[in-house]
Each structure stands twice: as C-alpha cells, then as structure tokens.
Amino acid sequence: MAGKPKLHYTCGRGKMESIRWLLAAAGVEFEEQFIETKEDLEKLRNDGFLLFQQVPMVEMDGMKLVQTRAILNYIAAKYNLYGKDLKERAQIDMYVEGTTDLMGMIMMFPFQPAEGKEKQLALIKERATTRYFPVYEKVLKGHGQDYLVGNNFSLADVHLLEAILMVEELIPDGLSQFPVLQGFKARISNIPTIKKFLQPGSQRKWPTDEKLVAQVKQIFNI
Amino acid sequence: MSGKPKLTYFNGRGRMESVRWMLAAAGTEFEEAFLETKEQYQKLIKDGALLFDQVPLVEMDGMKLVQTKAILSYIAGKYNLYGKNLKERAQIDMYVEGKSDLMGMVLTYPFSPPEEKEKKLALINERATTRYFPVYEKALKQHGKDFLVGNCLSWADVHLLEAILMIEELKPNVLSQFPQLQGFKARISNIPNIKKFLQPGSQRKPPPDDAYIATVLEVLKSD
C-alpha cells in the first residue's frame, strides 16, 4: 500500500514536530490523525498499533513506526538526508542528539509549574547560547560550507533550523552572538520545501499553549 | 595510538555500559580512560574533546564520538549489527529505543533520594513487565527465531540482554512470566564474545555503588 505516511499524535508539536519538519523538508506529503481524547489513545493501544503503548506513531511503507529517533532515522535514510557513509551518519547523529536535548527542554517548558518557569527559561537560554549554538556556529565557520555535514542537506540541518526557531520564540535575540547561524537560518529557511512549510496553511503546528497543555495532561494522565 | 577505540567515562556503568557491551559483542578490544576528578573533566572540556561538554566520549576511526546513541549507531553500523536493510534498521531502532527508555530509569535509580527509591523500583518493575518485556516476548514467540530482527545477531539483541540482566539485578524474578525471554537470555549469553564479556575479569562494570555515585556527583558538580 503505497499511500502517504500517516502520523498519529495530538494536534500540537511535541515529539512529532521534528518528524513533520523532516517529511516536509523531503517534500513528502503526509496525513495526520489527531488524538483528541483519552479514548482516541486507548483505541490505538487496544488495536495493538503502538508497540510500546506510546505515540508518536507513523504508518509508512507497511510499518507502524514508533519511537521518534527510529522514525526520523528511517525517513532520513529513505530520502537521502542521512549523509553518504557511516562517518557522516555519525556526525549527523551527534548533531541531532544535541538539538534533541535542547528542544527537549523547550518541549517540557509549557508543562512546568508557573513558579519554575523563569528558572527553566534561564536554563534554556544558557544551554542554547553556551553549550549548543556555539558548537554549530563553530562547525559551520570551520568548514565554511552551507550545510552542517558533508556539504549536503541533511537531517542535521533541518533539526538545527527547527531548534533555532523554537529557541527564538522564547528568546527572540537567541542568535545575536551567532552570525554564522544567522546566515544558516536564512539559507535553510529559503530551501523551497522548507519555505513552504514555514508558510501559513502548512502542517507545521503552533507553539504549545495552555489549552493544549490541558488536553495533553488529560489524554496521557499526567 | 593503538588503533583500539578509547572510551572516556567514569569507572562504572552509566551511559557507557551499552557501548562496552556492543564493542565486546563485536569482538573489538578497547581501552578506557576513567574520569575520577573534576579537574580531569574540566581539562577535557578545555581541550575541546567533548562536543557538548559531556561524556561518554569514544575516540575511534579518527573521530571523537559523543552522544550515546550516535556512538552505538556507529558501532552497530560498522560491525554489521544493524540489520541488512532500512526496514530492519527501523525495527532495531524501535526495539533499542524502547529498551533505552527502560534502562534510563535504571540508570537514574541509584541517584534517587532514599525516600523515592521504593516507588521508582516499583515503576521500573511495572514498566519492564507490562510495557517492554511483553513486546520482546511476543516478537520472539511470533517469528520463533533466535534473534529479534532478521534472524541475525544485532544491536537489538545485545541491548535486550543488557537490559534483562540489569533489571534482574534489581528484581531477580522479573523474567518469571517470560519463557521466550528466558530462552533468549540463555542463548545470547552463550555467544562466545558475549560469554567472555560476562566472565569475571572482563571490562564489564559492576552495579553502581556509593563510591561510584559520589565520584559522578563530584566530577559533574557545577561550580
């Protein structure tokens, strides 16, 4: 069954957003089935669709893929966004793990109790500007190429752009010390498939608001 | 430069243990440098050896690999423990990610405050026996083969054995409801490279003790 990939998740960013980005970057159209209630999740579980009872889940190529990293790796490899050999793949993996850690902090931020938010925001800013962004700034400056790895567009570039935009939503001047990343951001945003994804009407999801936080807590019993 | 991979980490399991397992399963000898003091750690950072200022660090094939997943994927790919095609790789990735979630809980358990330990242990047991082990039990039962994916030893098998043994240390009868996994455990433990790793004198590390916990906290403590 050739069909389009079908994504199962809530109608929000969460762990599925990186997958939406990657499919969009690869120019792959996809469908979405949104989990809106606890019953929706229970049905997926009872039907045996979720290997570890968790989402994200992506139906593609006859598989019900779960676990974000597994899904991203599969899509990246399938659409030639995973480097040309094992060493490039290792580079990409390292960079993506870094942006995953950073975006993980941002993902949890809306779920923080109000009194912890200021401290968490300061930590996000500190990590972004002293641990993560300097690394990518240095890598790009070091080789002077347009893309992070192997002079070719890859998952690492998509993931970094996603991370940059997420940080900037919380910390608007997040890139102020990183001129090379500013250039990277402009360049990657202009790639046609990505440009399209960044426009209104695409399947890109909004930043998580209180309403979604409440819905997620309800569905997943948090 | 001996040419062997060089692992830099604390002298204990933590996140590096899965890497030791994989290299051992692949029959690859490796060297280790142990982090014992904050100064050593700061020096590594200052020397630019750690991409994100974190360990594990594995130096191999001219690269300074960090991020456990990246390291394990590289080793799996290099030593043919990653399936024979993209779909098998996706299967292996899914299985490994599931076990990592479980092992992550075991990893942080020794660092929990004493009053939380009982609750955490109960959660580890619950997740192991109701979410994770049933999946692997079912997979093995369904295809009836010796290995999880593609009838060939892979990262998924090594990682599952590691997870089983770690959970058994905390809950000795955890496999009592899982006959397939019991058979799997015996079978994979008997593979020569793995059997060797399971013997005393190998580079396998013991369960975390107070000394290990104290070292980790001391080395990673911020100024």
Side-chain angles (χ1 to χ4, degrees):
Chain A
M1 229 185 297
K4 296 179 191 175
K6 187 171 173 189
L7 279 50
H8 295 263
Y9 204 66
T10 55
C11 186
R13 289 181 176 177
K15 289 185 189 279
M16 188 62 99
E17 193 70 353
S18 297
I19 294 164
R20 297 183 184 107
W21 268 89
L22 190 58
L23 287 168
V28 177
E29 288 183 16
F30 56 91
E31 292 172 358
E32 300 195 74
Q33 184 166 305
F34 297 119
I35 297 167
E36 277 155 0
T37 64
K38 225 194 276 235
E39 290 67 39
D40 290 340
L41 180 63
E42 282 313 313
K43 182 167 196 312
L44 282 171
R45 286 174 170 164
N46 292 336
D47 288 347
F49 283 11
L50 307 178
L51 188 65
F52 300 111
Q53 315 309 323
Q54 295 167 315
V55 284
M57 189 269 277
V58 174
E59 295 180 79
M60 67 189 286
D61 300 341
M63 297 180 289
K64 288 179 171 50
L65 293 172
V66 295
Q67 297 289 342
T68 315
R69 263 191 205 89
I71 300 167
L72 287 173
N73 290 355
Y74 181 76
I75 296 168
K78 182 174 177 178
Y79 294 104
N80 281 320
L81 293 167
Y82 215 172
K84 66 178 188 298
D85 59 25
L86 210 51
K87 284 195 176 187
E88 284 193 357
R89 210 166 81 196
Q91 277 297 124
I92 291 167
D93 279 343
M94 284 196 281
Y95 295 152
V96 167
E97 288 296 307
T99 37
T100 298
D101 286 350
L102 180 56
M103 286 201 280
M105 295 172 73
I106 297 176
M107 193 186 308
M108 296 312 300
F109 180 69
F111 293 84
Q112 288 279 332
E115 60 273 16
K117 277 200 153 108
E118 200 178 317
K119 197 170 165 202
Q120 184 64 359
L121 187 59
L123 184 62
I124 292 170
K125 182 172 187 178
E126 193 226 318
R127 287 281 156 85
T129 55
T130 65
R131 179 177 282 186
Y132 295 108
F133 287 170
V135 169
Y136 304 105
E137 177 84 358
K138 184 177 174 190
V139 165
L140 289 165
K141 193 171 184 182
H143 58 51
Q145 288 160 2
D146 283 353
Y147 307 106
L148 280 167
V149 179
N151 206 14
N152 249 317
F153 186 48
S154 78
L155 163 61
D157 303 300
V158 182
H159 217 241
L160 177 56
L161 177 61
E162 184 191 357
I164 286 171
L165 296 182
M166 275 181 83
V167 168
E168 283 185 326
E169 277 168 354
L170 289 180
I171 302 156
D173 63 346
L175 279 197
S176 57
Q177 318 269 5
F178 305 105
V180 182
L181 285 181
Q182 290 171 32
F184 174 87
K185 174 189 160 190
R187 209 162 50 241
I188 305 302
S189 300
N190 255 316
I191 291 173
T193 48
I194 304 233
K195 193 169 184 174
K196 192 171 162 201
F197 187 63
L198 289 172
Q199 270 151 15
S202 82
Q203 281 159 299
R204 188 183 181 209
K205 299 296 173 277
W206 300 110
T208 301
D209 61 14
E210 273 167 27
K211 186 166 163 226
L212 183 65
V213 168
Q215 190 188 42
V216 166
K217 283 182 172 175
Q218 223 264 332
I219 293 169
F220 295 97
N221 257 343
I222 302 170
Chain B
M1 234 187 296
S2 68
K4 295 181 194 174
K6 184 177 166 194
L7 280 51
T8 302
Y9 199 66
F10 310 101
N11 188 1
R13 290 183 180 176
R15 293 184 187 281
M16 189 62 100
E17 193 70 353
S18 298
V19 178
R20 298 181 184 108
W21 269 88
M22 279 293 276
L23 288 170
T28 302
E29 289 182 15
F30 56 92
E31 294 172 355
E32 300 197 74
F34 297 121
L35 276 186
E36 276 149 4
T37 66
K38 200 153 180 242
E39 290 66 41
Q40 271 175 292
Y41 178 50
Q42 297 293 359
K43 184 173 192 305
L44 277 174
I45 293 176
K46 231 176 171 180
D47 291 347
L50 306 177
L51 189 67
F52 299 114
D53 297 347
Q54 296 166 316
V55 285
L57 165 68
V58 174
E59 294 169 80
M60 68 189 285
D61 299 341
M63 297 181 289
K64 286 183 169 44
L65 292 172
V66 296
Q67 296 290 344
T68 318
K69 279 287 146 61
I71 297 166
L72 291 170
S73 294
Y74 181 75
I75 296 168
K78 180 175 178 173
Y79 294 104
N80 282 319
L81 294 167
Y82 218 166
K84 63 179 185 298
N85 57 36
L86 212 48
K87 284 195 175 186
E88 285 193 358
R89 212 164 81 195
Q91 268 302 120
I92 291 167
D93 276 341
M94 284 196 280
Y95 288 152
V96 164
E97 288 295 309
K99 276 163 283 171
S100 294
D101 287 351
L102 181 58
M103 275 159 57
M105 296 170 72
V106 176
L107 209 151
T108 54
Y109 172 72
F111 296 86
S112 310
E115 62 273 16
E116 284 183 23
K117 276 199 152 110
E118 200 179 317
K119 200 169 156 202
K120 286 223 159 148
L121 189 57
L123 185 61
I124 289 170
N125 190 42
E126 192 228 319
R127 286 283 156 84
T129 56
T130 64
R131 180 178 282 187
Y132 295 107
F133 287 170
V135 169
Y136 306 108
E137 178 82 3
K138 183 178 173 189
L140 289 165
K141 191 168 185 187
Q142 254 173 8
H143 59 51
K145 305 215 174 104
D146 286 353
F147 307 104
L148 278 170
V149 178
N151 207 16
C152 224
L153 181 71
S154 76
W155 177 12
D157 303 298
V158 180
H159 214 242
L160 177 55
L161 178 61
E162 184 192 357
I164 285 171
L165 295 182
M166 275 177 82
I167 309 273
E168 279 187 327
E169 280 168 354
L170 293 178
K171 279 272 170 187
N173 62 350
V174 76
L175 281 197
S176 57
Q177 319 268 6
F178 304 105
Q180 296 285 332
L181 288 181
Q182 290 170 33
F184 173 87
K185 173 189 160 190
R187 213 159 51 237
I188 306 301
S189 300
N190 254 317
I191 290 172
N193 287 337
I194 299 200
K195 192 169 183 173
K196 193 170 160 202
F197 187 63
L198 289 172
Q199 268 151 15
S202 82
Q203 282 160 298
R204 187 182 181 210
K205 299 295 173 278
D209 59 11
D210 287 340
Y212 171 74
I213 292 168
T215 306
V216 173
L217 290 175
E218 175 58 37
V219 169
L220 294 182
K221 143 182 106 175
S222 33
D223 288 316

